[in-house]
Amino acid sequence: MHPRVFAIITAVLLGALGLGAVALTDWTPGTAPVAQVGAALPGGAPAGGAAAPAPSPTGDPAVWTRSTLRNKLMAEMEATDPGVALADLDKISKDKPYTVRFCHPIAHELGHAAVLRYKQDFQKVISFPHETCAAGYLHGAVEEMLANSKTPEQDILTLCAPKNTGPCIHGIGHGIMFVTKQDIPAARALCNKFPTDSRRITCSEGVFMQLFAPDEEDEKAKANLPADQLAKDPLYPCPEQPALFQSACFFYAPTFYLSSHDYANHPEAFADALKWCLNGKASGGANDCSRGVGSRTMKYNLDREDWAANQCATAADAWQRQACAQGLVSYYTVNYTDAGAAGRLCAKITNKEIAGYCRTAGGLSSTLD
């Protein structure tokens, strides 16, 4: 099955679900927003290690870090319930767009904690609104349920039933990586237990997101990417995947590239990542990789959309600039889920070519984050 079946199948799913074009992912260091050296960061935080602004009158810090935001929300959940913490996370991530860089893994943690709190009553856990930060809470809850399962090979098929929504099955993919201890062939075998190609692909999205974008603060979730294999093939292990799973693998691979090239302090890494994606030409993965770069670029720069678009414009070829622009839209619309989100983004892009690609972007997966 040709890997481009990924786009065809997911476009059909989008029509059925009534969703817009979306996509995202998540290696997220606890750093301040990307900025040029010496520039002021959003929220007033100076770059280059200067002293942070004083806390606000409410007691909240003027600039959130992963640890300060995580601690606040975990305390809120303990004192109240997951719904309160998730509502606050949603508000903060929209008020302070740079927090999107680490809101997804924080939501994962809330999901893990909720399963423990409610003694593995999954229906109770997901009874709270859980779409915040690309459904990270749901992903974390599924991970925790599968980590404690005595029969995960059976539970992966029943945990999301009867609705079997895309985000839940995507979460199954995350959980499978915990069950298999990052063993990709074993993870693929579990994804293949789903009865349809569309669900197998959605499951694989979670698998490869977890591979390339693990929570590096969790020792059980460390990335398993051998240096010797990467030296032989920069896009390892994507070219060796079966056709059905290649697109998701190539899409998430740039997450690892950006994290390993310290994008927070080296913003040129975004443009460099597009050049790196050209390693996937021979195996047909360069387009999916370039979409992934666009998605990551938007995710890590939600507070400066036009700058993100200009990174796509650095690509030498039109096909790659278009793929990158599709990635921009896909992440923006997974973060801002209202109907007008894509239009707002396109209106902020000053490069006419990239703005044009923005307006025509569509047909992407509703579960890639």
Side-chain angles (χ1 to χ4, degrees), residues 145-228:
M145 292 295 295
L146 291 178
N148 290 288
S149 172
K150 295 180 180 179
T151 57
E153 67 282 354
Q154 298 175 22
D155 290 343
I156 62 171
L157 300 177
T158 60
L159 191 59
C160 295
K163 294 182 178 180
N164 287 312
T165 63
C168 189
I169 294 176
H170 177 109
I172 291 286
H174 280 272
I176 281 174
M177 289 296 275
F178 283 79
V179 170
T180 62
K181 296 180 173 58
Q182 303 269 346
D183 185 303
I184 297 299
R188 285 201 315 263
L190 288 178
C191 283
N192 274 327
K193 288 184 176 293
F194 283 103
T196 65
D197 281 350
S198 63
R199 290 181 185 173
R200 292 169 188 154
I201 289 172
T202 301
C203 177
S204 77
E205 292 167 4
V207 163
F208 290 112
M209 179 176 173
Q210 189 64 40
L211 175 68
F212 291 115
D215 182 350
E216 295 295 343
E217 294 182 6
D218 185 342
E219 289 298 325
K220 297 179 181 179
K222 295 291 186 182
N224 182 22
L225 293 168
D228 58 336

Side-chain angles (χ1 to χ4, degrees), residues 86-87 89-91 93-94 103-104 107 129-137:
L86 288 167
L89 177 58
D90 183 62
K91 182 179 185 303
S93 65
K94 286 181 169 59
C103 74
H104 189 85
H130 49 255
E131 295 78 16
T132 296
C133 297
Y137 172 83

Side-chain angles (χ1 to χ4, degrees), residues 56-364:
S56 68
T58 65
D60 288 341
V63 177
W64 291 104
T65 65
R66 172 168 170 164
S67 61
T68 57
L69 184 55
R70 181 258 184 205
N71 292 343
K72 170 187 172 68
L73 296 169
M74 292 295 284
E76 282 185 351
M77 190 173 83
E78 184 175 349
T80 55
D81 61 48
V84 173
L86 288 167
D88 203 13
L89 177 58
D90 183 62
K91 182 179 185 303
I92 290 171
S93 65
K94 286 181 169 59
D95 289 347
K96 307 284 187 180
Y98 67 86
T99 60
V100 173
R101 297 178 180 87
F102 42 82
C103 74
H104 189 85
I106 290 174
H108 268 238
E109 288 195 65
L110 294 174
H112 282 278
V115 169
L116 298 176
R117 174 174 176 170
Y118 295 114
K119 297 178 171 53
Q120 299 185 49
D121 182 346
F122 188 65
Q123 294 306 311
K124 174 65 175 177
V125 170
I126 64 172
S127 67
F128 301 97
H130 49 255
E131 295 78 16
T132 296
C133 297
Y137 172 83
L138 174 61
H139 297 169
V142 173
E143 289 172 3
E144 189 66 28
M145 292 295 295
L146 291 178
N148 290 288
S149 172
K150 295 180 180 179
T151 57
E153 67 282 354
Q154 298 175 22
D155 290 343
I156 62 171
L157 300 177
T158 60
L159 191 59
C160 295
K163 294 182 178 180
N164 287 312
T165 63
C168 189
I169 294 176
H170 177 109
I172 291 286
H174 280 272
I176 281 174
M177 289 296 275
F178 283 79
V179 170
T180 62
K181 296 180 173 58
Q182 303 269 346
D183 185 303
I184 297 299
R188 285 201 315 263
L190 288 178
C191 283
N192 274 327
K193 288 184 176 293
F194 283 103
T196 65
D197 281 350
S198 63
R199 290 181 185 173
R200 292 169 188 154
I201 289 172
T202 301
C203 177
S204 77
E205 292 167 4
V207 163
F208 290 112
M209 179 176 173
Q210 189 64 40
L211 175 68
F212 291 115
D215 182 350
E216 295 295 343
E217 294 182 6
D218 185 342
E219 289 298 325
K220 297 179 181 179
K222 295 291 186 182
N224 182 22
L225 293 168
D228 58 336
Q229 294 286 355
L230 290 172
K232 296 176 185 176
D233 186 342
L235 286 167
Y236 171 86
C238 300
E240 66 184 42
Q241 300 306 307
L244 191 68
F245 300 129
Q246 280 194 0
S247 288
C249 185
F250 282 117
F251 178 86
Y252 283 111
T255 311
F256 182 78
Y257 176 90
L258 290 168
S259 67
S260 60
H261 286 74
D262 190 17
Y263 73 84
N265 293 306
H266 296 278
E268 68 276 8
F270 296 102
D272 290 343
L274 287 170
K275 298 174 185 175
W276 173 81
C277 282
L278 297 178
N279 289 298
K281 269 190 172 182
S283 52
N287 191 77
D288 291 313
C289 181
S290 301
R291 285 197 301 112
V293 171
S295 175
R296 301 308 87 211
T297 302
M298 181 53 68
K299 176 182 179 176
Y300 303 147
N301 297 280
L302 262 177
D303 41 356
R304 49 178 189 168
E305 299 94 332
D306 192 45
W307 185 91
N310 284 331
Q311 305 317 296
C312 292
T314 65
D317 298 316
W319 68 264
Q320 193 174 34
R321 294 193 293 271
Q322 181 174 17
C324 182
Q326 289 173 342
L328 295 176
V329 177
S330 67
Y331 182 77
Y332 199 82
T333 52
V334 84
N335 185 70
Y336 300 109
T337 56
D338 62 282
R344 289 199 307 275
L345 171 62
C346 299
K348 293 179 180 180
I349 296 175
T350 56
N351 182 290
K352 292 183 179 179
E353 181 188 14
I354 303 301
Y357 294 144
C358 178
R359 288 190 293 270
T360 60
L364 302 177

